Amino acid sequence: MGQEDDMMMMMMMTRKGPWTEQEDVQLVSYVNMFGDRRWDFIAKVSGLKRSGKSCRLRWVNYLHPGLKRGKMTPQEERRILELHSKWGNRWSRIARKLPGRTDNEIKNYWRTHMRKKAQEKKRVLSPSSSVSNSSSYSSVCTSNPTIDSMPMMETNERSFYDTGGLEMVVIANGKSDSNNTMKSTATSVNDISETQDGYNSMDEIWKDIDSLEGDDIAPSPVWDYSFNTFWMIDGLEETESNMFFPDNKRAI
DNA sequence: AAGCACCACAACCGCAGGTGA
DNA sequence: TTCACCTGCGGTTGTGGTGCT
Protein backbone atom coordinates (compact mmCIF):
# COMPACT_ATOMS: atom_id res chain seq x y z
CA MET A 1 0.00 0.00 0.00
CA GLY A 2 1.25 3.45 -0.85
CA GLN A 3 1.12 6.54 1.28
CA GLU A 4 -1.83 7.93 -0.60
CA ASP A 5 -3.76 4.78 0.11
CA ASP A 6 -2.94 5.14 3.79
CA MET A 7 -4.20 8.69 3.68
CA MET A 8 -7.40 7.59 2.03
CA MET A 9 -7.88 4.87 4.59
CA MET A 10 -7.31 7.32 7.42
CA MET A 11 -9.79 9.77 5.98
CA MET A 12 -12.41 7.09 5.54
CA MET A 13 -11.90 5.75 9.04
CA THR A 14 -11.82 9.10 10.80
CA ARG A 15 -14.84 9.76 12.95
CA LYS A 16 -16.37 13.19 13.34
CA GLY A 17 -19.03 14.77 15.47
CA PRO A 18 -19.66 14.62 19.20
CA TRP A 19 -17.44 12.47 21.38
CA THR A 20 -18.88 9.57 23.30
CA GLU A 21 -18.11 8.88 26.94
CA GLN A 22 -16.28 5.76 25.83
CA GLU A 23 -14.03 7.78 23.56
CA ASP A 24 -13.40 10.28 26.32
CA VAL A 25 -12.33 7.60 28.76
CA GLN A 26 -10.08 6.08 26.15
CA LEU A 27 -8.48 9.39 25.29
CA VAL A 28 -7.91 10.34 28.91
CA SER A 29 -6.19 7.09 29.68
CA TYR A 30 -3.91 7.36 26.66
CA VAL A 31 -3.02 10.95 27.43
CA ASN A 32 -2.29 9.74 30.92
CA MET A 33 0.10 7.19 29.50
CA PHE A 34 1.81 9.21 26.80
CA GLY A 35 1.33 12.81 27.84
CA ASP A 36 -0.52 15.59 26.09
CA ARG A 37 1.87 16.13 23.24
CA ARG A 38 2.04 13.65 20.42
CA TRP A 39 -1.55 13.80 19.31
CA ASP A 40 -1.19 11.96 16.05
CA PHE A 41 0.55 9.17 17.87
CA ILE A 42 -2.12 9.07 20.56
CA ALA A 43 -4.84 9.07 17.94
CA LYS A 44 -3.25 6.08 16.29
CA VAL A 45 -2.33 3.91 19.25
CA SER A 46 -5.55 4.58 21.14
CA GLY A 47 -7.57 3.07 18.35
CA LEU A 48 -9.84 6.09 18.37
CA LYS A 49 -11.03 6.83 14.91
CA ARG A 50 -10.21 10.47 15.41
CA SER A 51 -7.56 12.77 14.06
CA GLY A 52 -4.78 13.91 16.33
CA LYS A 53 -6.15 17.37 16.01
CA SER A 54 -9.54 16.29 17.17
CA CYS A 55 -8.02 14.46 20.15
CA ARG A 56 -6.04 17.49 21.17
CA LEU A 57 -9.07 19.73 20.92
CA ARG A 58 -11.18 17.38 22.97
CA TRP A 59 -8.52 17.22 25.63
CA VAL A 60 -7.78 20.91 25.78
CA ASN A 61 -11.37 22.08 25.68
CA TYR A 62 -13.16 19.43 27.62
CA LEU A 63 -11.12 16.72 29.30
CA HIS A 64 -8.24 18.62 30.80
CA PRO A 65 -8.47 18.15 34.59
CA GLY A 66 -7.89 21.80 35.35
CA LEU A 67 -10.90 23.08 33.48
CA LYS A 68 -13.54 25.11 35.23
CA ARG A 69 -17.12 24.65 34.24
CA GLY A 70 -20.04 26.96 34.43
CA LYS A 71 -20.61 30.64 34.09
CA MET A 72 -17.91 33.24 33.99
CA THR A 73 -17.53 35.09 37.26
CA PRO A 74 -17.64 38.89 37.26
CA GLN A 75 -13.90 38.87 37.95
CA GLU A 76 -13.32 36.70 34.91
CA GLU A 77 -15.54 38.89 32.79
CA ARG A 78 -13.61 41.94 33.84
CA ARG A 79 -10.35 40.18 33.16
CA ILE A 80 -11.42 39.15 29.70
CA LEU A 81 -12.51 42.64 28.79
CA GLU A 82 -9.29 44.06 30.12
CA LEU A 83 -7.08 41.56 28.33
CA HIS A 84 -9.02 41.74 25.11
CA SER A 85 -8.62 45.49 25.00
CA LYS A 86 -4.92 44.89 25.43
CA TRP A 87 -4.35 41.94 23.14
CA GLY A 88 -7.31 41.74 20.81
CA ASN A 89 -8.41 38.32 19.66
CA ARG A 90 -5.44 36.51 21.12
CA TRP A 91 -7.69 34.00 22.79
CA SER A 92 -5.10 31.49 23.78
CA ARG A 93 -3.04 34.17 25.43
CA ILE A 94 -6.05 35.55 27.25
CA ALA A 95 -6.95 32.03 28.31
CA ARG A 96 -3.55 31.58 29.91
CA LYS A 97 -4.40 34.40 32.27
CA LEU A 98 -7.67 32.79 33.25
CA PRO A 99 -7.03 29.54 35.08
CA GLY A 100 -9.37 26.79 34.04
CA ARG A 101 -10.74 28.61 31.02
CA THR A 102 -9.94 27.67 27.46
CA ASP A 103 -9.40 29.88 24.48
CA ASN A 104 -12.45 28.33 22.89
CA GLU A 105 -14.58 29.12 25.90
CA ILE A 106 -13.42 32.69 26.04
CA LYS A 107 -13.84 33.08 22.31
CA ASN A 108 -17.39 31.80 22.51
CA TYR A 109 -18.11 33.96 25.50
CA TRP A 110 -16.82 37.03 23.76
CA ARG A 111 -18.74 36.25 20.62
CA THR A 112 -22.10 35.98 22.33
CA HIS A 113 -21.23 38.81 24.67
CA MET A 114 -20.39 41.15 21.86
CA ARG A 115 -23.37 40.07 19.84
CA LYS A 116 -25.53 41.07 22.75
CA LYS A 117 -23.66 44.32 23.02
CA ALA A 118 -24.12 44.98 19.31
CA GLN A 119 -27.83 44.36 19.55
CA GLU A 120 -28.16 46.63 22.54
CA LYS A 121 -26.24 49.35 20.80
CA LYS A 122 -28.35 49.00 17.70
CA ARG A 123 -31.47 49.29 19.79
CA VAL A 124 -30.15 52.38 21.53
CA LEU A 125 -29.03 54.08 18.36
CA SER A 126 -32.00 53.32 16.18
CA PRO A 127 -34.86 55.38 17.65
CA SER A 128 -33.52 58.78 18.78
CA SER A 129 -31.31 58.26 21.73
CA SER A 130 -27.61 58.96 21.90
CA VAL A 131 -27.23 58.07 25.54
CA SER A 132 -25.62 54.75 26.20
CA ASN A 133 -27.77 52.47 28.29
CA SER A 134 -26.25 50.84 31.33
CA SER A 135 -26.32 47.15 30.59
CA SER A 136 -24.57 44.67 32.79
CA TYR A 137 -21.81 44.74 30.26
CA SER A 138 -21.35 48.48 30.52
CA SER A 139 -21.23 48.39 34.25
CA VAL A 140 -18.46 45.87 34.14
CA CYS A 141 -16.56 47.64 31.45
CA THR A 142 -15.73 50.91 33.10
CA SER A 143 -12.26 51.42 31.73
CA ASN A 144 -12.44 50.13 28.25
CA PRO A 145 -12.74 52.72 25.53
CA THR A 146 -11.49 50.31 22.89
CA ILE A 147 -14.44 48.03 23.22
CA ASP A 148 -17.00 50.73 23.76
CA SER A 149 -16.08 52.31 20.49
CA MET A 150 -15.99 49.02 18.66
CA PRO A 151 -17.47 48.94 15.19
CA MET A 152 -20.71 47.00 15.07
CA MET A 153 -21.38 43.99 12.94
CA GLU A 154 -24.04 45.68 10.89
CA THR A 155 -21.90 48.59 9.84
CA ASN A 156 -18.50 47.16 9.26
CA GLU A 157 -16.95 44.55 7.07
CA ARG A 158 -14.64 43.30 9.78
CA SER A 159 -15.67 40.47 11.98
CA PHE A 160 -17.83 42.08 14.62
CA TYR A 161 -15.65 41.01 17.48
CA ASP A 162 -12.35 41.60 15.82
CA THR A 163 -11.09 44.68 17.56
CA GLY A 164 -7.47 44.06 17.05
CA GLY A 165 -6.35 45.58 20.27
CA LEU A 166 -3.42 47.80 21.09
CA GLU A 167 -0.78 45.17 20.91
CA MET A 168 -1.80 43.90 17.52
CA VAL A 169 0.50 46.41 15.90
CA VAL A 170 3.45 45.17 17.84
CA ILE A 171 2.79 41.50 17.33
CA ALA A 172 1.36 41.60 13.87
CA ASN A 173 3.88 39.07 12.77
CA GLY A 174 3.82 36.85 15.81
CA LYS A 175 0.73 34.71 15.49
CA SER A 176 1.95 31.67 17.27
CA ASP A 177 2.81 31.76 20.92
CA SER A 178 2.46 28.08 21.44
CA ASN A 179 4.49 26.24 24.00
CA ASN A 180 7.25 25.81 21.49
CA THR A 181 7.38 29.47 20.78
CA MET A 182 7.40 30.25 24.44
CA LYS A 183 10.54 28.24 24.70
CA SER A 184 12.33 29.74 21.79
CA THR A 185 11.29 33.02 20.28
CA ALA A 186 9.83 36.21 21.62
CA THR A 187 7.82 38.37 19.27
CA SER A 188 6.71 41.16 21.51
CA VAL A 189 7.42 42.94 24.71
CA ASN A 190 4.95 40.77 26.51
CA ASP A 191 6.35 37.65 24.97
CA ILE A 192 9.74 38.47 26.28
CA SER A 193 8.47 38.56 29.80
CA GLU A 194 6.57 35.33 29.28
CA THR A 195 9.33 33.38 27.65
CA GLN A 196 11.92 33.73 30.28
CA ASP A 197 10.87 30.42 31.73
CA GLY A 198 10.78 27.39 29.52
CA TYR A 199 7.64 25.26 29.48
CA ASN A 200 7.73 21.63 28.61
CA SER A 201 4.10 20.72 28.93
CA MET A 202 0.65 22.09 29.21
CA ASP A 203 0.58 21.09 32.83
CA GLU A 204 3.53 23.26 33.59
CA ILE A 205 1.84 26.18 31.97
CA TRP A 206 -1.40 25.55 33.78
CA LYS A 207 0.39 25.22 37.06
CA ASP A 208 2.33 28.36 36.36
CA ILE A 209 -0.82 30.23 35.55
CA ASP A 210 -2.38 28.89 38.67
CA SER A 211 0.41 30.15 40.85
CA LEU A 212 0.62 33.48 39.07
CA GLU A 213 -3.06 34.15 39.25
CA GLY A 214 -3.64 32.79 42.69
CA ASP A 215 -4.12 36.24 44.21
CA ASP A 216 -6.48 37.38 41.57
CA ILE A 217 -8.86 34.52 41.06
CA ALA A 218 -9.05 31.73 43.54
CA PRO A 219 -8.78 28.31 41.94
CA SER A 220 -11.97 26.34 42.07
CA PRO A 221 -12.24 23.19 44.17
CA VAL A 222 -12.68 21.33 40.91
CA TRP A 223 -9.28 22.52 39.86
CA ASP A 224 -7.62 21.14 42.97
CA TYR A 225 -9.62 17.98 43.07
CA SER A 226 -9.00 17.19 39.45
CA PHE A 227 -5.28 17.48 39.82
CA ASN A 228 -5.29 15.24 42.80
CA THR A 229 -7.37 12.53 41.26
CA PHE A 230 -6.56 12.68 37.61
CA TRP A 231 -3.36 10.73 37.63
CA MET A 232 -5.07 7.82 39.28
CA ILE A 233 -7.37 7.24 36.38
CA ASP A 234 -6.32 3.65 35.86
CA GLY A 235 -9.12 1.49 37.16
CA LEU A 236 -11.51 4.36 36.92
CA GLU A 237 -14.46 4.04 39.25
CA GLU A 238 -17.82 5.56 38.75
CA THR A 239 -17.37 8.51 41.06
CA GLU A 240 -14.13 9.40 39.40
CA SER A 241 -15.64 8.94 36.02
CA ASN A 242 -18.34 11.42 36.93
CA MET A 243 -15.68 13.75 38.14
CA PHE A 244 -13.96 13.71 34.80
CA PHE A 245 -17.12 14.01 32.83
CA PRO A 246 -19.28 16.23 34.96
CA ASP A 247 -21.34 17.37 32.05
CA ASN A 248 -22.18 14.39 29.98
CA LYS A 249 -25.35 15.66 28.47
CA ARG A 250 -23.79 15.27 25.05
CA ALA A 251 -22.61 11.78 25.51
CA ILE A 252 -24.47 9.34 23.33
C1' DA B 1 -48.42 22.22 23.16
C1' DA B 2 -46.09 23.97 19.12
C1' DG B 3 -43.20 26.98 16.80
C1' DC B 4 -39.65 30.21 16.88
C1' DA B 5 -35.62 32.83 18.26
C1' DC B 6 -31.75 33.13 20.81
C1' DC B 7 -27.89 31.43 23.52
C1' DA B 8 -24.08 28.53 24.86
C1' DC B 9 -20.93 25.46 23.71
C1' DA B 10 -18.64 21.67 21.18
C1' DA B 11 -16.31 20.65 17.20
C1' DC B 12 -14.34 21.39 12.62
C1' DC B 13 -11.46 23.89 9.22
C1' DG B 14 -7.68 26.35 7.24
C1' DC B 15 -3.51 28.39 8.05
C1' DA B 16 1.01 29.40 9.96
C1' DG B 17 4.99 28.39 12.72
C1' DG B 18 8.16 25.04 14.69
C1' DT B 19 10.91 20.96 14.33
C1' DG B 20 13.44 17.13 12.82
C1' DA B 21 15.20 14.27 9.07
C1' DT C 1 18.77 24.35 3.10
C1' DT C 2 14.64 22.17 2.11
C1' DC C 3 10.69 19.63 2.91
C1' DA C 4 7.24 17.04 5.27
C1' DC C 5 4.94 16.50 9.32
C1' DC C 6 3.02 18.00 13.73
C1' DT C 7 1.02 21.27 16.69
C1' DG C 8 -1.41 25.29 18.01
C1' DC C 9 -4.24 29.21 16.92
C1' DG C 10 -8.13 31.90 15.38
C1' DG C 11 -12.33 31.79 12.75
C1' DT C 12 -16.50 29.56 11.72
C1' DT C 13 -20.25 26.32 11.84
C1' DG C 14 -23.47 23.00 13.82
C1' DT C 15 -26.42 21.56 17.42
C1' DG C 16 -28.90 21.05 21.72
C1' DG C 17 -31.15 23.63 25.35
C1' DT C 18 -34.13 27.20 26.98
C1' DG C 19 -37.28 30.87 27.17
C1' DC C 20 -40.85 33.42 24.93
C1' DT C 21 -45.00 34.03 22.14
PDB file of all heavy atoms in Angstrom, chain A residues 17-33:
ATOM      1  N   GLY A  17     -17.845  14.531  14.642  1.00  0.00           N
ATOM      2  CA  GLY A  17     -19.028  14.765  15.466  1.00  0.00           C
ATOM      3  C   GLY A  17     -18.742  14.593  16.936  1.00  0.00           C
ATOM      4  O   GLY A  17     -17.594  14.437  17.352  1.00  0.00           O
ATOM      5  N   PRO A  18     -19.791  14.643  17.747  1.00  0.00           N
ATOM      6  CA  PRO A  18     -19.655  14.618  19.203  1.00  0.00           C
ATOM      7  C   PRO A  18     -18.913  13.384  19.703  1.00  0.00           C
ATOM      8  O   PRO A  18     -19.053  12.305  19.147  1.00  0.00           O
ATOM      9  CB  PRO A  18     -21.101  14.596  19.688  1.00  0.00           C
ATOM     10  CG  PRO A  18     -21.915  15.091  18.564  1.00  0.00           C
ATOM     11  CD  PRO A  18     -21.173  14.736  17.321  1.00  0.00           C
ATOM     12  N   TRP A  19     -18.176  13.572  20.766  1.00  0.00           N
ATOM     13  CA  TRP A  19     -17.436  12.468  21.383  1.00  0.00           C
ATOM     14  C   TRP A  19     -18.351  11.690  22.318  1.00  0.00           C
ATOM     15  O   TRP A  19     -19.178  12.258  23.020  1.00  0.00           O
ATOM     16  CB  TRP A  19     -16.260  13.025  22.162  1.00  0.00           C
ATOM     17  CG  TRP A  19     -15.109  13.424  21.307  1.00  0.00           C
ATOM     18  CD1 TRP A  19     -15.093  14.436  20.379  1.00  0.00           C
ATOM     19  CD2 TRP A  19     -13.808  12.831  21.276  1.00  0.00           C
ATOM     20  NE1 TRP A  19     -13.864  14.511  19.783  1.00  0.00           N
ATOM     21  CE2 TRP A  19     -13.044  13.540  20.324  1.00  0.00           C
ATOM     22  CE3 TRP A  19     -13.206  11.793  21.957  1.00  0.00           C
ATOM     23  CZ2 TRP A  19     -11.722  13.228  20.046  1.00  0.00           C
ATOM     24  CZ3 TRP A  19     -11.885  11.482  21.685  1.00  0.00           C
ATOM     25  CH2 TRP A  19     -11.165  12.186  20.736  1.00  0.00           C
ATOM     26  N   THR A  20     -18.137  10.396  22.344  1.00  0.00           N
ATOM     27  CA  THR A  20     -18.884   9.570  23.295  1.00  0.00           C
ATOM     28  C   THR A  20     -18.094   9.457  24.586  1.00  0.00           C
ATOM     29  O   THR A  20     -16.892   9.727  24.623  1.00  0.00           O
ATOM     30  CB  THR A  20     -19.097   8.156  22.738  1.00  0.00           C
ATOM     31  OG1 THR A  20     -17.816   7.535  22.600  1.00  0.00           O
ATOM     32  CG2 THR A  20     -19.791   8.198  21.397  1.00  0.00           C
ATOM     33  N   GLU A  21     -18.776   9.050  25.655  1.00  0.00           N
ATOM     34  CA  GLU A  21     -18.107   8.876  26.939  1.00  0.00           C
ATOM     35  C   GLU A  21     -16.978   7.851  26.824  1.00  0.00           C
ATOM     36  O   GLU A  21     -15.908   7.997  27.405  1.00  0.00           O
ATOM     37  CB  GLU A  21     -19.111   8.439  27.997  1.00  0.00           C
ATOM     38  CG  GLU A  21     -18.524   8.432  29.383  1.00  0.00           C
ATOM     39  CD  GLU A  21     -19.596   8.215  30.447  1.00  0.00           C
ATOM     40  OE1 GLU A  21     -20.774   8.259  30.106  1.00  0.00           O
ATOM     41  OE2 GLU A  21     -19.220   8.021  31.606  1.00  0.00           O
ATOM     42  N   GLN A  22     -17.265   6.806  26.063  1.00  0.00           N
ATOM     43  CA  GLN A  22     -16.277   5.757  25.830  1.00  0.00           C
ATOM     44  C   GLN A  22     -14.997   6.334  25.215  1.00  0.00           C
ATOM     45  O   GLN A  22     -13.887   6.050  25.660  1.00  0.00           O
ATOM     46  CB  GLN A  22     -16.903   4.719  24.886  1.00  0.00           C
ATOM     47  CG  GLN A  22     -15.935   3.656  24.362  1.00  0.00           C
ATOM     48  CD  GLN A  22     -15.618   2.635  25.440  1.00  0.00           C
ATOM     49  OE1 GLN A  22     -16.508   2.297  26.218  1.00  0.00           O
ATOM     50  NE2 GLN A  22     -14.394   2.161  25.498  1.00  0.00           N
ATOM     51  N   GLU A  23     -15.189   7.162  24.220  1.00  0.00           N
ATOM     52  CA  GLU A  23     -14.033   7.780  23.561  1.00  0.00           C
ATOM     53  C   GLU A  23     -13.274   8.675  24.537  1.00  0.00           C
ATOM     54  O   GLU A  23     -12.044   8.703  24.541  1.00  0.00           O
ATOM     55  CB  GLU A  23     -14.498   8.602  22.352  1.00  0.00           C
ATOM     56  CG  GLU A  23     -14.922   7.786  21.156  1.00  0.00           C
ATOM     57  CD  GLU A  23     -15.424   8.679  20.026  1.00  0.00           C
ATOM     58  OE1 GLU A  23     -16.312   9.518  20.271  1.00  0.00           O
ATOM     59  OE2 GLU A  23     -14.928   8.551  18.897  1.00  0.00           O
ATOM     60  N   ASP A  24     -14.028   9.397  25.336  1.00  0.00           N
ATOM     61  CA  ASP A  24     -13.399  10.276  26.318  1.00  0.00           C
ATOM     62  C   ASP A  24     -12.517   9.489  27.286  1.00  0.00           C
ATOM     63  O   ASP A  24     -11.366   9.852  27.535  1.00  0.00           O
ATOM     64  CB  ASP A  24     -14.466  11.044  27.109  1.00  0.00           C
ATOM     65  CG  ASP A  24     -15.067  12.189  26.307  1.00  0.00           C
ATOM     66  OD1 ASP A  24     -14.461  12.567  25.286  1.00  0.00           O
ATOM     67  OD2 ASP A  24     -16.130  12.685  26.704  1.00  0.00           O
ATOM     68  N   VAL A  25     -13.069   8.427  27.807  1.00  0.00           N
ATOM     69  CA  VAL A  25     -12.325   7.600  28.762  1.00  0.00           C
ATOM     70  C   VAL A  25     -11.053   7.080  28.106  1.00  0.00           C
ATOM     71  O   VAL A  25      -9.959   7.111  28.696  1.00  0.00           O
ATOM     72  CB  VAL A  25     -13.196   6.424  29.252  1.00  0.00           C
ATOM     73  CG1 VAL A  25     -12.370   5.432  30.059  1.00  0.00           C
ATOM     74  CG2 VAL A  25     -14.344   6.948  30.085  1.00  0.00           C
ATOM     75  N   GLN A  26     -11.215   6.632  26.887  1.00  0.00           N
ATOM     76  CA  GLN A  26     -10.082   6.085  26.151  1.00  0.00           C
ATOM     77  C   GLN A  26      -8.995   7.150  25.949  1.00  0.00           C
ATOM     78  O   GLN A  26      -7.826   6.903  26.198  1.00  0.00           O
ATOM     79  CB  GLN A  26     -10.578   5.598  24.793  1.00  0.00           C
ATOM     80  CG  GLN A  26      -9.832   4.381  24.265  1.00  0.00           C
ATOM     81  CD  GLN A  26     -10.573   3.793  23.079  1.00  0.00           C
ATOM     82  OE1 GLN A  26     -11.811   3.832  23.044  1.00  0.00           O
ATOM     83  NE2 GLN A  26      -9.846   3.258  22.121  1.00  0.00           N
ATOM     84  N   LEU A  27      -9.436   8.316  25.538  1.00  0.00           N
ATOM     85  CA  LEU A  27      -8.480   9.386  25.292  1.00  0.00           C
ATOM     86  C   LEU A  27      -7.754   9.782  26.573  1.00  0.00           C
ATOM     87  O   LEU A  27      -6.530   9.916  26.593  1.00  0.00           O
ATOM     88  CB  LEU A  27      -9.186  10.604  24.686  1.00  0.00           C
ATOM     89  CG  LEU A  27      -8.286  11.822  24.419  1.00  0.00           C
ATOM     90  CD1 LEU A  27      -7.173  11.471  23.435  1.00  0.00           C
ATOM     91  CD2 LEU A  27      -9.108  12.983  23.883  1.00  0.00           C
ATOM     92  N   VAL A  28      -8.507   9.935  27.637  1.00  0.00           N
ATOM     93  CA  VAL A  28      -7.911  10.339  28.910  1.00  0.00           C
ATOM     94  C   VAL A  28      -6.851   9.338  29.342  1.00  0.00           C
ATOM     95  O   VAL A  28      -5.754   9.720  29.769  1.00  0.00           O
ATOM     96  CB  VAL A  28      -8.993  10.483  30.007  1.00  0.00           C
ATOM     97  CG1 VAL A  28      -8.368  10.566  31.383  1.00  0.00           C
ATOM     98  CG2 VAL A  28      -9.828  11.720  29.756  1.00  0.00           C
ATOM     99  N   SER A  29      -7.155   8.074  29.210  1.00  0.00           N
ATOM    100  CA  SER A  29      -6.190   7.087  29.683  1.00  0.00           C
ATOM    101  C   SER A  29      -4.933   7.074  28.803  1.00  0.00           C
ATOM    102  O   SER A  29      -3.829   6.872  29.306  1.00  0.00           O
ATOM    103  CB  SER A  29      -6.821   5.700  29.763  1.00  0.00           C
ATOM    104  OG  SER A  29      -7.199   5.282  28.485  1.00  0.00           O
ATOM    105  N   TYR A  30      -5.088   7.334  27.526  1.00  0.00           N
ATOM    106  CA  TYR A  30      -3.909   7.362  26.661  1.00  0.00           C
ATOM    107  C   TYR A  30      -3.088   8.637  26.863  1.00  0.00           C
ATOM    108  O   TYR A  30      -1.860   8.602  26.808  1.00  0.00           O
ATOM    109  CB  TYR A  30      -4.299   7.183  25.185  1.00  0.00           C
ATOM    110  CG  TYR A  30      -4.419   5.718  24.832  1.00  0.00           C
ATOM    111  CD1 TYR A  30      -5.617   5.033  25.039  1.00  0.00           C
ATOM    112  CD2 TYR A  30      -3.333   5.008  24.353  1.00  0.00           C
ATOM    113  CE1 TYR A  30      -5.730   3.686  24.744  1.00  0.00           C
ATOM    114  CE2 TYR A  30      -3.432   3.654  24.059  1.00  0.00           C
ATOM    115  CZ  TYR A  30      -4.632   2.992  24.254  1.00  0.00           C
ATOM    116  OH  TYR A  30      -4.732   1.659  23.970  1.00  0.00           O
ATOM    117  N   VAL A  31      -3.763   9.719  27.122  1.00  0.00           N
ATOM    118  CA  VAL A  31      -3.025  10.947  27.432  1.00  0.00           C
ATOM    119  C   VAL A  31      -2.275  10.750  28.738  1.00  0.00           C
ATOM    120  O   VAL A  31      -1.137  11.191  28.900  1.00  0.00           O
ATOM    121  CB  VAL A  31      -3.983  12.161  27.530  1.00  0.00           C
ATOM    122  CG1 VAL A  31      -3.259  13.376  28.066  1.00  0.00           C
ATOM    123  CG2 VAL A  31      -4.559  12.473  26.166  1.00  0.00           C
ATOM    124  N   ASN A  32      -2.928  10.063  29.649  1.00  0.00           N
ATOM    125  CA  ASN A  32      -2.295   9.736  30.925  1.00  0.00           C
ATOM    126  C   ASN A  32      -1.011   8.941  30.714  1.00  0.00           C
ATOM    127  O   ASN A  32       0.001   9.147  31.383  1.00  0.00           O
ATOM    128  CB  ASN A  32      -3.290   8.945  31.776  1.00  0.00           C
ATOM    129  CG  ASN A  32      -2.789   8.706  33.180  1.00  0.00           C
ATOM    130  OD1 ASN A  32      -1.913   9.429  33.666  1.00  0.00           O
ATOM    131  ND2 ASN A  32      -3.336   7.713  33.830  1.00  0.00           N
ATOM    132  N   MET A  33      -1.068   8.038  29.767  1.00  0.00           N
ATOM    133  CA  MET A  33       0.105   7.188  29.505  1.00  0.00           C
ATOM    134  C   MET A  33       1.204   7.918  28.737  1.00  0.00           C
ATOM    135  O   MET A  33       2.374   7.782  29.043  1.00  0.00           O
ATOM    136  CB  MET A  33      -0.336   5.959  28.707  1.00  0.00           C
ATOM    137  CG  MET A  33      -0.908   4.848  29.543  1.00  0.00           C
ATOM    138  SD  MET A  33      -1.066   3.360  28.559  1.00  0.00           S
ATOM    139  CE  MET A  33      -2.599   3.617  27.728  1.00  0.00           C
TER     140      MET A  33
END
